[in-house]
Amino acid sequence: MADAIADDEPEEEEKGSSPLMAVVFILVAALLAGGVGFGVGQTLFAPMIAGADAPVAQETGPQAPNAADGGQDSDDGYGADEDGHGADSETSLRGLDFASLEVLELEPITTNIGVPSDVWVRMELSLAIEPVDEEEAIDPVMIEAIHADFLAYMRTTRLQSLALPSGFQHMVTDLESRAALRSGGIVKRVFVKALLLE
């Protein structure tokens, strides 16, 4: 009988942890995860939040000069109008005033792309350029250099890169940077009017 009582006691000790220990473990893991998330959030997003919390200077008139500029009006290139908000969305995009730009159509580009080489592409493009002085004309050699650069770019393009969700936007961004480089900054935007792959 004494042996039966002695055998029952170790079984109670070997049952395992109680549900209370599981709850404590889950709470500790949740607190640890919350602390790590807070730390990462403060590290990554603090600069963005700090810029949003910066005090906004109050204007005293319709066009108050900026004291940091020494009283000079500054145009930061973001199309802000008098009340500090963005300019009219019909004429401004990415800080550009499209009403002041001229549109120049390029000849269509027809070529095969890099990979696969049996796929042909036809593109119709336009350039948004800064207006030039009346005594200066747009250099046709510069326009032909931009056209030839676009042709060379399309010959190295892969079909897979165009098929990606953001592939078209990357292509347009690459074309804009190439055009700006070739023109010395005169070309501000590249518009793709048609893109046909066959």
Side-chain angles (χ1 to χ4, degrees):
M1 183 96 165
D3 291 333
I5 295 174
D7 288 339
D8 288 342
E9 289 176 10
E11 287 179 11
E12 290 176 12
E13 292 175 8
E14 294 176 4
K15 275 186 171 179
S17 62
S18 68
L20 180 63
M21 291 301 288
V23 170
V24 168
F25 177 74
I26 291 173
L27 286 175
V28 168
L31 288 174
L32 183 64
V36 169
F38 177 77
V40 169
Q42 288 296 319
T43 303
L44 294 178
F45 302 120
M48 288 186 274
I49 294 171
D53 292 340
V56 178
Q58 296 294 325
E59 294 182 4
T60 58
Q63 293 216 349
N66 189 355
D69 294 2
Q72 300 291 328
D73 288 339
S74 67
D75 181 17
D76 57 2
Y78 291 106
D81 56 1
E82 293 86 23
D83 63 351
H85 296 283
D88 189 14
S89 62
E90 293 178 9
T91 61
S92 177
L93 180 66
R94 283 197 248 164
L96 296 175
D97 185 17
F98 286 118
S100 67
L101 297 177
E102 294 178 10
V103 176
L104 179 69
E105 292 186 21
L106 294 178
E107 292 293 320
I109 295 173
T110 304
T111 185
N112 61 325
I113 61 175
V115 175
S117 61
D118 60 338
V119 174
W120 285 78
V121 63
R122 178 180 167 90
M123 293 179 66
E124 294 180 11
L125 303 164
S126 294
L127 304 175
I129 60 173
E130 287 182 346
V132 294
D133 296 333
E134 291 183 12
E135 54 236 18
E136 293 180 23
I138 298 172
D139 187 12
V141 175
M142 175 190 69
I143 300 301
E144 287 301 318
I146 292 171
H147 189 269
D149 195 30
F150 288 172
L151 177 73
Y153 176 80
M154 291 311 294
R155 290 196 45 98
T156 61
T157 302
R158 295 174 172 258
L159 183 61
Q160 285 181 325
S161 65
L162 291 175
L164 295 173
S166 60
F168 178 76
Q169 185 59 42
H170 287 299
M171 180 195 68
V172 172
T173 304
D174 289 344
L175 292 176
E176 285 178 353
S177 64
R178 286 171 168 260
L181 182 67
R182 293 275 182 211
S183 68
I186 294 174
V187 176
K188 298 299 181 184
R189 287 287 308 268
V190 174
F191 299 109
V192 179
K193 299 189 301 184
L195 176 66
L196 176 67
L197 295 166
E198 185 178 313

